[in-house]
Amino acid sequence: MSDLKNFLFTSESVSEGHPDKVSDRISDMVVDTYLSGDPHSRVACETLTTTNKVVLAGEVRGPEIKKEDLINKVRNCIKDIGYDQSGFTWKEATKIECHLHSQSTDIAMGVDSSGNKDEGAGDQGIMFGYACNETDDLMPAPIHYSHKILRLMAQDRKTGKLKNIEPDSKSQVTFEYVNGKPTKVKSVVISSQHSPDVNQEQVRELLRPYMIESIPKNFMEGFSEEEFYVNPTGNFVIGGPDGDCGLTGRKIIVDTYGGAAPHGGGAFSGKDPTKVDRSAAYAARYIAKNIVASKVADKCLIQLAYAIGVSKPLSIYVNLFDNDLDKNKFVVEKINNNFDLSPRGIREMLNLNKPIYEKTSAYGHFGRSPEKDGAFSWENTDKTNVFSK
């Protein structure tokens, strides 16, 4: 984030019914399906969603899974999200094509371990991890509250408490920062697909409680009603994949830190944990969060770089944003001595060879609570003692 002390900063989130998120959900369902059959499966799945059509493509290596079974699971994803509309439905009217095929032997040769050769990274690339003490989850405030608004809306929509609101929604929260800290909310935008039975004023009244419930009162002092924007373009009846084509991996900033930190460029969804685009970004977040949780720094940015077929990271960069070179050197040394950042080391450290990815596909991969099945293990703060001086 900017080195300025006083500024406005905005982040957005999109709901699980956003067309790109529908695609992410389906791709991660494919990952989980293969990992359930064999924890060492390799998956790189891309999904396209559009009017009454879903297309899966990509490479896999693992157990034999019938296309019919995958197609049925795609329908279950769509049904769980809440789509049963004329232009996109979980029922037979939506056609589903599966074009998954075997992984390239060239890639497999460079990535697999054999003899005394350790497993290499599945691709070259740079990955970032970030944490800051702006929220209890050690996430930037704008993305944290943007996610929360949509998550609460989805919960009530699915239980029937929130009526006439459809699955496709977006949110955006702007914070005013003073002396580098979030102090108050300047504007909130919520755009949501709705039924034709309600007008825009009714939609506004339906959604206002979710802004109020999501954002702490101290941040809302002096908030102007004129800065609460609901469906600014007007009508939003046609939505989801019927209104806009969806693709896996197009919401990478929503998935991470809302723009408050850099992103290496690689998407997460649809990739098994041997892909460092995913696993190394989780590891970088894990380390950054433990550094901030240890009170060593108020915020921390970590970059890892990999080359395809090479097991160890080519470089590790740490920024604690306080110009304390001795402390920075201390932290880098602790990372090198206490964390195995090879692809295999990351997977074993965070126990990633599990079917835990479908639930990561909406409302952010970070700032979530670790779960009993091993999901969001990278959010644990069990390594703070490593960095405590």
Side-chain angles (χ1 to χ4, degrees):
M1 192 180 282
S2 169
D3 289 332
L4 296 171
K5 295 296 183 183
N6 303 319
F7 54 90
L8 300 179
F9 195 83
T10 304
S11 295
E12 71 158 347
S13 180
V14 298
S15 72
E16 64 201 78
H18 185 283
D20 294 331
K21 282 287 140 200
V22 176
S23 296
D24 284 346
R25 166 78 175 267
I26 292 168
S27 293
D28 275 335
M29 174 277 292
V30 173
V31 172
D32 283 355
T33 299
Y34 275 89
L35 290 177
S36 294
D38 179 355
H40 300 290
S41 294
R42 301 292 169 84
V43 181
C45 176
E46 309 295 341
T47 302
L48 176 147
T49 55
T50 187
T51 303
N52 282 335
K53 186 179 282 284
V54 177
V55 180
L56 280 66
E59 302 80 48
V60 295
R61 179 154 54 105
E64 287 292 326
I65 295 173
K66 294 179 181 178
K67 286 188 177 182
E68 294 78 14
D69 292 341
L70 280 178
I71 288 170
N72 285 332
K73 289 191 174 192
V74 170
R75 295 196 188 280
N76 289 337
C77 289
I78 298 169
K79 185 178 183 179
D80 182 68
I81 292 168
Y83 276 113
D84 187 13
Q85 302 169 2
S86 61
F88 195 71
T89 174
W90 61 273
K91 297 175 181 173
E92 293 296 325
T94 292
K95 305 303 178 187
I96 302 171
E97 300 176 14
C98 182
H99 301 286
L100 296 169
H101 60 83
S102 297
Q103 183 189 49
S104 158
T105 53
D106 287 349
I107 292 176
M109 180 177 62
V111 173
D112 289 349
S113 56
S114 60
N116 62 359
K117 173 185 174 292
D118 195 8
E119 174 189 306
D123 200 356
Q124 71 175 53
I126 54 175
M127 297 84 211
F128 288 94
Y130 182 74
C132 61
N133 59 8
E134 294 178 12
T135 64
D136 291 342
D137 293 328
L138 304 186
M139 287 289 286
I143 189 68
H144 174 83
Y145 296 113
S146 294
H147 284 323
K148 190 173 182 180
I149 289 169
L150 297 184
R151 197 168 63 244
L152 294 178
M153 284 172 53
Q155 288 172 4
D156 285 355
R157 175 178 58 78
K158 290 181 173 184
T159 62
K161 182 179 178 181
L162 177 59
K163 301 184 186 302
N164 291 308
I165 295 298
E166 301 293 343
D168 189 0
S169 303
K170 301 177 79 171
S171 63
Q172 189 169 283
V173 179
T174 299
F175 267 84
E176 180 177 356
Y177 282 71
V178 176
N179 199 28
K181 298 292 183 182
T183 57
K184 62 181 178 180
V185 170
K186 293 292 287 184
S187 67
V188 176
V189 182
I190 308 177
S191 296
S192 185
Q193 184 187 17
H194 58 86
S195 80
D197 300 329
V198 289
N199 60 38
Q200 293 310 306
E201 190 54 42
Q202 289 170 312
V203 173
R204 185 182 185 88
E205 293 311 309
L206 285 169
L207 300 186
R208 179 185 280 105
Y210 295 94
M211 171 183 70
I212 294 169
E213 185 179 352
S214 298
I215 303 173
K217 289 182 179 178
N218 60 298
F219 288 137
M220 297 297 286
E221 291 180 8
F223 182 77
S224 170
E225 181 69 18
E226 294 179 354
E227 295 298 323
F228 179 42
Y229 302 91
V230 176
N231 288 358
T233 60
N235 226 32
F236 189 0
V237 173
I238 299 172
D242 185 29
D244 188 13
C245 181
L247 291 170
T248 302
R250 282 206 301 201
K251 288 291 176 283
I252 58 177
I253 301 304
V254 171
D255 286 342
T256 54
Y257 308 102
H263 192 294
F268 301 158
S269 290
K271 297 174 181 175
D272 73 78
T274 67
K275 315 294 193 289
V276 283
D277 276 342
R278 181 167 222 158
S279 57
Y282 290 171
R285 161 67 178 174
Y286 177 58
I287 296 170
K289 186 174 184 182
N290 275 274
I291 289 169
V292 174
S294 75
K295 311 282 196 220
V296 166
D298 290 339
K299 56 182 178 177
C300 174
L301 175 70
I302 291 176
Q303 183 205 59
L304 304 174
Y306 290 86
I308 188 168
V310 180
S311 64
K312 299 294 184 183
L314 305 184
S315 66
I316 301 174
Y317 165 83
V318 177
N319 188 349
L320 303 178
F321 300 93
D322 57 9
N323 296 315
D324 186 332
L325 298 181
D326 288 338
K327 183 166 66 175
N328 208 88
K329 184 178 178 182
F330 163 83
V331 166
V332 171
E333 184 178 298
K334 291 294 183 182
I335 293 171
N336 282 319
N337 291 339
N338 291 276
F339 297 89
D340 180 354
L341 294 175
S342 67
R344 184 198 302 275
I346 291 171
R347 291 202 314 282
E348 292 176 353
M349 173 175 67
L350 299 177
N351 208 2
L352 296 181
N353 283 101
K354 290 183 172 184
I356 54 174
Y357 298 103
E358 191 175 337
K359 64 186 75 178
T360 70
S361 62
Y363 313 117
H365 292 244
F366 308 127
R368 309 284 289 273
S369 298
E371 299 185 4
K372 289 182 179 179
D373 64 358
F376 306 106
S377 59
W378 48 94
E379 292 296 311
N380 281 307
T381 51
D382 53 353
K383 295 289 187 181
T384 54
N385 61 311
V386 170
F387 302 103
S388 300
K389 288 188 177 181

